[in-house]
Amino acid sequence: MSTEQTETVRPTATMTGRAATRAFREGGAHEGTGRASAARVSALARDVLARIHEVIREHDVTYPEYQAVKQWLIEVGEAGEWPLFLDVFAESVVEQVHNARREGTKGSILGPYYLPGQRALPARCTLPMRADEPGLPLIVEGQVRGLDGEPIAGAVLDLWQADAHGYYSGFVPEIPDGNLRGVITTGADGRFEIRTIQPAPYEIPKDGPTGKLLSAAEWHAWRPAHLHLIVRGRGYRNIITQLYFEGGSWLDDDVASATKPELVLAPKPDAWGVQRVTYDFVLDPA
Ligand code: MBD
Ligand code: FE
């Protein structure tokens, strides 16, 4: 490592990227990969290519630049970073289109770090964590309801988050599998009370091709601290969303453009000095 390096850069990109690519291939929150008609493929491919041609003309793209782009695209694939790159730079718009007509809780992007099949937990629970888990304790409580205010009995919250250093279990070797992940089932009243710790903002790994693009363009690599959730109820539309923290860094400058004002929590210390917040989820009918 060079001596002018002022901070330690953890070599995480390739490990994280490969694990994210594997997680995507094994399937997760969205139903498979769509099969489009020839007409749809033709229309989308034609328009994507036409826009690339436009950029080449507009910016007088040179052969060295064209070759550099080709090299970079090869590296993104080799590092397994397509899930990371696409979820950071494109998914927010797919989410907006997908959820345009939803009336209940706002959605946000799934991102590359969801893992299905995590530990089943009761409505009042503590997320699996290490004995010495760093971070400020946090309690999130609330209720899952339908649009008319009816409690959704047995609603399920699939929750995952980064730790207090911004790392996700299952994607870095130091964290035990299943850490800060869980599948919570509410009671008949749709209520839940989840103990966890406050996550840290997430920084895209600097040592991979996505990080290289960010530094070459002098863009920052940060997402604000967030909790990921998929909330499900029988007879209701699933919501994939994220919750953020008031006053947190990068809230107004998320590299993934995935924040929404309705999704910002403002935890306050309770009688025991523990940060506590109420957030109710409202599901649209299926
Ligand atoms: C994350 O933690 C995340 O949620 C997204 C969408 C992209 C990269 C890292
Ligand atoms: Fe995330």
Side-chain angles (χ1 to χ4, degrees):
M1 193 161 284
S2 69
T3 46
E4 67 263 36
Q5 203 110 35
T6 48
E7 65 179 290
T8 327
V9 176
R10 285 226 238 168
T12 53
T14 298
M15 248 165 350
T16 307
R18 292 236 169 88
T21 292
R22 195 177 327 118
F24 171 74
R25 287 209 168 114
E26 286 167 7
H30 291 286
E31 312 78 53
T33 45
R35 206 178 284 192
S37 66
R40 180 80 173 161
V41 172
S42 174
L44 295 182
R46 184 193 59 224
D47 282 1
V48 167
L49 293 170
R51 280 164 169 81
I52 292 173
H53 301 161
E54 241 175 69
V55 171
I56 295 168
R57 290 207 171 86
E58 240 178 74
H59 295 273
D60 291 316
V61 169
T62 64
Y63 260 105
E65 286 167 342
Y66 173 64
Q67 297 295 56
V69 168
K70 209 189 287 179
Q71 177 61 36
W72 179 82
L73 290 167
I74 291 166
E75 285 168 22
V76 174
E78 284 173 350
E81 281 196 0
W82 281 118
L84 173 69
F85 181 86
L86 290 169
D87 293 351
V88 166
F89 291 111
E91 191 187 351
S92 67
V93 186
V94 181
E95 186 280 324
Q96 285 162 29
V97 170
H98 175 74
N99 285 325
R101 281 178 231 289
R102 190 183 283 274
E103 290 176 52
T105 300
K106 300 283 179 192
S108 185
I109 62 180
L110 176 69
Y113 301 139
Y114 173 67
L115 293 172
Q118 300 300 308
R119 187 183 304 173
L121 299 165
R124 291 193 62 180
C125 66
T126 301
L127 285 191
M129 62 177 80
R130 294 161 284 189
D132 56 349
E133 189 69 45
L136 196 63
L138 170 72
I139 300 174
V140 183
E141 61 185 326
Q143 188 182 32
V144 185
R145 294 190 295 259
L147 288 180
D148 298 325
E150 72 281 12
I152 302 179
V156 173
L157 293 92
D158 201 334
L159 174 52
W160 70 106
Q161 64 170 93
D163 70 5
H165 301 299
Y167 293 101
Y168 284 88
S169 64
F171 295 88
V172 292
E174 305 93 310
I175 306 178
D177 282 351
N179 206 63
L180 299 176
R181 296 173 183 270
V183 182
I184 299 107
T185 303
T186 71
D189 58 2
R191 292 190 180 277
F192 58 89
E193 186 189 272
I194 303 160
R195 288 169 179 264
T196 181
I197 57 99
Q198 174 116 11
Y202 173 89
E203 189 181 27
I204 291 169
K206 292 189 176 113
D207 55 324
T210 305
K212 254 170 55 178
L213 170 67
L214 290 164
S215 62
E218 298 183 351
W219 297 348
H220 79 73
W222 290 92
R223 297 213 59 222
H226 55 278
L227 305 173
H228 289 269
L229 291 123
I230 303 173
V231 185
R232 306 180 164 94
R234 195 180 288 278
Y236 295 86
R237 230 180 125 184
N238 295 347
I239 183 75
I240 297 173
T241 192
Q242 300 186 25
L243 297 174
Y244 302 92
F245 298 92
E246 194 175 87
S249 305
W250 314 109
L251 201 49
D252 299 316
D253 194 16
D254 179 3
V255 67
S257 311
T259 65
K260 294 181 185 178
E262 298 88 346
L263 298 176
V264 179
L265 302 174
K268 303 272 186 294
D270 67 9
W272 294 270
V274 178
Q275 292 295 112
R276 187 183 272 269
V277 67
T278 299
Y279 195 87
D280 296 332
F281 294 93
V282 178
L283 300 189
D284 285 58

